[in-house]
């Protein structure tokens, strides 16, 4: 089942790809039409999997630059962050690859956080969601967000949160995220001048 | 300077207490009256320092329960989370101790997150801020939030964010946090029924 059967992928993953097997898509069946899942993403050449070191050469950073300022990230910086994430644990950076041209065309990150509250629980965050503009109309934004949202549930997180612009509220509402009345504010201090 | 001179503290810290030395309070001088800092918190018996294992016996969890649901966290669970945070890195849980009665009376957490964006930057979050109700009027809420906010700057983070209720917006605005127009939404999916 899943990723490893479709194409043999050399090298390591940022996290165990087996975690993406057996996600409970029945609970979100009604949110996608036609129905797709991370293991059956609608087109046979699409592959949903954890980030790999090799994704530096598959346009992962170029994809992120459609989202926000990436700046000057060379291979050494990319690998430094990759290994820091893997060592730390809790970083579930997940991508969609178009295996025809070996390009990363979608990404979303689940980050988990240990808590003392909630019975010593695990909290989840959604970060850095982006899908290549030229792949619109395939529900890939919904697919990648739901994939990591279901993964957070599988990991036992008690909640998953995200910060977003006004223009994205409708999208995330369609996937089950809520603005809780009186408790939906995200505030920021920026230590440098660059947005996001 | 700082914590170690005031009282000898046995045992380990969640993070290096030297990081709390030399924070740049000049940049936020105008936000506190009278002026206090983490090393000079206004009363000689107050101590601002990283979380310790011993804080389980100093009422740390009882303090958190003033904030939200803590639930059943025994010593084993507390220590499990403490060591998981220390192993992961990036958890700067900071407390205020009243050394007269050895009770934790304030807390705030800075959590850092590795990013690929922003030149492979480090992002900061503010979590789980609470000050004991009976210590009001001493600016300790401002003190503990500014302490970790300045620590994030010292660590080289490019921004620090927080999620909060409507009722706390004024407080955080007074400390320099902003609601950015069109980009100040926090959304949530809860996997269990318990709030926060």
């Amino acid at each position: 089942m899943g990723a490893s059967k479709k194409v043999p992928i050399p090298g390591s993953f940022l996290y165990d790809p087996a975690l993406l097997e057996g996600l409970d898509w029945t609970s979100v069946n009604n949110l996608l039409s036609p129905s797709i899942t991370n293991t059956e993403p609608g087109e046979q050449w699409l592959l949903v999997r954890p980030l790999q070191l090799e994704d530096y050469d598959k346009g992962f950073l170029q994809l992120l630059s459609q989202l926000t300022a990436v700046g000057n990230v060379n291979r050494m910086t990319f690998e430094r962050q990759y290994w820091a994430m893997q060592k730390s644990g809790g970083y579930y950076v997940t991508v969609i690859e178009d295996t025809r041209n070996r390009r990363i065309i979608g990404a979303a990150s689940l980050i988990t956080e240990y808590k003392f509250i909630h019975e010593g629980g695990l909290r989840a965050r959604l970060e850095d969601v982006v899908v290549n503009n030229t792949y619109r109309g395939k529900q890939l934004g919904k697919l990648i967000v739901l994939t990591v949202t279901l993964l957070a549930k599988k990991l036992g997180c008690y909640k998953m949160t995200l910060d977003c612009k006004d223009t994205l509220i409708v999208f995330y509402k369609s996937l089950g995220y809520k603005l809780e009345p009186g408790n939906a504010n995200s505030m920021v201090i920026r230590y440098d001048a660059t947005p996001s």
Side-chain angles (χ1 to χ4, degrees), chain A residues 130-151:
Chain A
V130 58
V131 171
N132 187 311
N133 291 327
T134 63
Y135 287 76
R136 284 177 181 272
K138 298 176 184 295
Q139 302 184 292
L140 297 182
K142 289 186 176 185
L143 178 69
I144 193 72
V145 170
L146 287 172
T147 296
V148 294
T149 302
L150 293 171
L151 176 56

Side-chain angles (χ1 to χ4, degrees), chain A residues 13 21-22 69 76 99 116 125 136 141 147 155 159 175 178:
Chain A
F13 294 96
E21 295 171 12
M76 196 174 68
T99 58
F116 290 111
R125 300 181 189 276
R136 284 177 181 272
T147 296
L155 294 171
K159 75 174 178 182
L175 301 179
K178 290 183 172 64

Side-chain angles (χ1 to χ4, degrees), chain A residues 20-37:
Chain A
L20 290 176
E21 295 171 12
L23 298 180
D24 179 21
W25 286 91
T26 59
S27 61
V28 292
N29 246 345
N30 56 326
L31 305 180
L32 294 159
S33 176
S35 176
I36 56 175
T37 71

